[in-house]
């Protein structure tokens, strides 16, 4: 097994945890924000671990990007949907999602109650992740 396969397997497996943490983040932050509840230690920890999970996924993804045979820029990158997904769309959307979840976590830490903006940013981050997962790789 080479470095690319190891990273790809880790990145694919860790993606399940990242999705789970993203969903938990959105559900719990949404519940607290809509209920106008005060921030608790549990919600702060959940937010931290969700953010950490996203960051680890991003770091592995960045390394994988540079060793991947799929993320190549050629004259056909924009013409081929698969190549465009791996070379441009997936990395950019995942980076944006990590930035948004990081901002949501920072807003949460600075507030006594759970701000609605943290929920909205987390929701957008989750939608970005779901929109650019290479589902064909996952499902078949």
């Amino acid at each position: 097994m080479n470095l690319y396969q190891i990273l790809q397997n880790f990145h694919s497996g860790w993606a399940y945890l990242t999705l789970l943490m993203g969903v938990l983040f959105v559900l719990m932050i949404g519940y607290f924000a809509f209920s106008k509840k005060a921030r608790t230690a549990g919600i702060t920890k959940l937010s931290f671990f969700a953010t950490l999970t996203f960051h680890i996924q991003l770091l592995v993804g960045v390394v994988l990007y540079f060793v991947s045979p799929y993320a190549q820029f050629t004259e056909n990158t924009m013409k081929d949907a698969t190549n465009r997904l791996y070379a441009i769309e997936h990395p950019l959307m995942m980076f944006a999602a990590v930035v948004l979840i990081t901002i949501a976590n920072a807003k949460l830490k600075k507030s006594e109650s759970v701000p609605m903006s943290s929920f909205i940013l987390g929701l957008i981050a989750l939608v970005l992740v779901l929109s650019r997962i290479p589902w064909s790789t996952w499902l078949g």
Side-chain angles (χ1 to χ4, degrees):
M1 200 179 266
N2 61 25
L3 177 64
Y4 171 72
Q5 292 169 327
I6 292 168
L7 288 173
Q8 184 185 35
N9 288 336
F10 180 83
H11 191 67
S12 295
W14 193 263
Y16 289 105
L17 181 60
T18 304
L19 278 176
L20 175 65
M21 293 303 291
V23 169
L24 286 174
F25 179 88
V26 168
L27 291 176
M28 293 304 294
I29 297 291
Y31 172 74
F32 274 72
F34 282 107
S35 301
K36 300 189 186 328
K37 291 190 173 203
R39 179 174 49 96
T40 64
I43 203 75
T44 303
K45 286 177 185 175
L46 171 69
S47 178
F48 169 76
F49 284 114
T51 305
L52 180 65
T53 305
F54 272 66
H55 280 246
I56 291 170
Q57 183 73 340
L58 175 68
L59 289 174
V60 173
V62 167
V63 174
L64 185 60
Y65 185 81
F66 289 107
V67 297
S68 172
Y70 298 107
Q72 298 176 3
F73 289 99
T74 66
E75 63 276 357
N76 295 323
T77 297
M78 296 305 286
K79 296 175 187 172
D80 178 31
T82 301
N83 197 11
R84 185 176 61 241
L85 174 68
Y86 286 110
I88 297 170
E89 295 171 357
H90 179 76
L92 287 177
M93 290 301 108
M94 299 308 154
F95 179 75
V98 170
V99 168
L100 291 175
I101 200 125
T102 303
I103 293 169
N105 182 46
K107 287 180 168 288
L108 179 69
K109 288 192 307 189
K110 291 180 182 178
S111 178
E112 291 299 316
S113 63
V114 176
M116 187 60 72
S117 59
S118 289
F119 167 71
I120 293 169
L121 291 169
L123 182 61
I124 294 170
L126 185 59
V127 168
L128 290 177
V129 168
L130 291 171
S131 75
R132 290 295 145 223
I133 289 175
W135 292 107
S136 61
T137 304
W138 275 33
L139 302 175

